[in-house]
Amino acid sequence: MGSCPGPGGSHMPRSGWAREPWPLSLCVRSLCSATGEATTAGKGGGPGPTLGRAPSCPHLLPDQGPLTMDKGEEDDDEEAWLQLRPVEPLPSQCCGSGCSPCVFDLYQRDLASWEAARASKDRSLLSGEETQSCPSKLSPETFLAFCISATDRLTKDTYLVRFALPGNSRLGLWPGQHLILRGIVDGLEIQRAYTPISPANAKGYFEVLIKCYQTGLMSQYVESWKAGDTAFWRGPFGGFFYKPNQENSLEQLPWSYRDKTHFGRLGQDLIEELVGSCRRKPFALVCGSAEFTKDVAGYLLSAGLAEDSYFLF
């Protein structure tokens, strides 16, 4: 599009599709004012002079056809769409815990939405902005803002952080599920997985215990927190929920676990059977009461394992 002369002969700069073009009547009046010609009937009632071609006003070109964007505006429009294109995540933005959807899954979803919106030139098809206020429900796909109500430094490198929930609402996580925290350090976006430690029935808040490391990027972000700050979380993640006594038969377990899972009390015979079924020397991890770990350690030694082939928690 060219530039239309405004009142007094001034010119309107080029504009994109976001702005309305000057009205045709205004262009005609302005052009005639600048050339001394009249657009109305002469004094004798006859027709006034015919307007000639005016290169500065594209509305008056009879052979131009429908209005279209010129090359410059097409470039501007293309640049605007490219600025809206989703940015591919960096490896640091993936927490590596197997979340579904992963940050790369979300990128592919947003990229598909952007391509569809660009093809149809309809920006309403693009995803909306993230919520900036305390939400009422978690989302595994979108980071939501949570206000930090308190931070408590338990040790020199461990922090207990409390986040506010609206009203008396609950976080709604099952034991075994976790959330993803997003942080930005020196312009680099990072994401890490954390498990809230607050009771499942806690109302109006949830708490996270975070250990910081001297060279950790997320640790720098967490150590900068203070009450009143905002942090962004998404979730929950984790498909294996813990419920007391929920598994009491092999049929309820995945196929890959059935041959390796035994129900009942651990004893010498079962330990020897398990150790003997291993194709190569196993390494056993034992966790339980002091009496339990002592008994199992004895069973493992009797089954032929050396002391460096098991670990007692």
Side-chain angles (χ1 to χ4, degrees):
M1 294 173 62
S3 59
C4 293
S10 61
H11 281 70
M12 177 184 176
R14 294 180 181 269
S15 62
W17 289 111
R19 297 179 180 178
E20 293 292 334
W22 281 45
L24 176 59
S25 59
L26 180 57
C27 291
V28 173
R29 287 196 300 270
S30 301
L31 175 62
C32 294
S33 174
T35 59
E37 296 174 330
T39 59
T40 59
K43 291 182 179 181
T50 304
L51 295 176
R53 180 183 295 262
S56 63
C57 185
H59 297 80
L60 302 180
L61 300 182
D63 58 345
Q64 186 177 9
L67 289 177
T68 58
M69 289 191 299
D70 61 17
K71 184 61 167 65
E73 286 187 325
E74 289 179 354
D75 293 342
D76 292 342
D77 189 66
E78 179 68 15
E79 179 64 25
W81 278 106
L82 290 178
Q83 291 178 358
L84 295 174
R85 190 181 194 276
V87 179
E88 184 173 1
L90 298 173
S92 64
Q93 294 176 259
C94 177
C95 67
S97 59
C99 303
S100 180
C102 173
V103 64
F104 287 99
D105 297 330
L106 298 178
Y107 164 71
Q108 293 296 334
R109 181 203 64 183
D110 293 342
L111 181 62
S113 298
W114 175 82
E115 291 174 343
R118 182 187 181 191
S120 60
K121 297 187 181 299
D122 183 0
R123 298 191 183 186
S124 66
L125 298 178
L126 297 176
S127 299
E129 297 295 328
E130 62 189 10
T131 301
Q132 296 293 325
S133 59
C134 287
S136 59
K137 188 176 182 180
L138 284 168
S139 169
E141 298 185 357
T142 305
F143 281 101
L144 302 177
F146 291 86
C147 301
I148 298 175
S149 57
T151 59
D152 188 7
R153 187 172 184 176
L154 303 182
T155 68
K156 65 177 182 179
D157 58 4
T158 306
Y159 296 82
L160 178 64
V161 187
R162 174 172 289 199
F163 298 88
L165 293 173
N168 288 325
S169 60
R170 299 178 181 179
L171 190 61
L173 265 65
W174 287 93
Q177 290 188 303
H178 62 275
L179 303 176
I180 300 296
L181 171 67
R182 183 184 69 184
I184 299 179
V185 178
D186 297 331
L188 178 66
E189 180 176 314
I190 50 180
Q191 298 183 23
R192 297 291 185 271
Y194 295 97
T195 301
I197 65 168
S198 47
N201 59 353
K203 297 180 179 181
Y205 74 94
F206 70 94
E207 292 178 326
V208 181
L209 185 66
I210 301 178
K211 180 178 176 61
C212 296
Y213 298 87
Q214 186 174 2
T215 59
L217 291 177
M218 185 62 81
S219 298
Q220 299 178 37
Y221 177 63
V222 171
E223 289 178 332
S224 70
W225 283 349
K226 59 183 181 299
D229 287 348
T230 299
F232 288 87
W233 297 88
R234 68 183 177 98
F237 299 98
F240 188 83
F241 307 142
Y242 169 77
K243 295 180 181 179
N245 303 317
Q246 66 174 331
E247 304 295 351
N248 51 27
S249 69
L250 293 177
E251 287 72 21
Q252 296 178 341
L253 294 176
W255 282 100
S256 57
Y257 288 93
R258 294 185 183 182
D259 293 338
K260 303 175 183 178
T261 303
H262 296 265
F263 290 96
R265 184 178 180 83
L266 288 175
Q268 182 68 55
D269 294 340
L270 181 55
I271 292 293
E272 290 181 355
E273 178 185 346
L274 293 174
V275 173
S277 65
C278 296
R279 296 181 179 179
R280 53 186 178 182
K281 183 180 178 181
F283 187 87
L285 303 175
V286 183
C287 180
S289 64
E291 183 178 356
F292 173 81
T293 55
K294 179 181 178 181
D295 290 342
V296 173
Y299 298 153
L300 293 172
L301 290 173
S302 299
L305 291 187
E307 292 186 356
D308 61 355
S309 296
Y310 61 84
F311 180 83
L312 307 179
F313 289 93

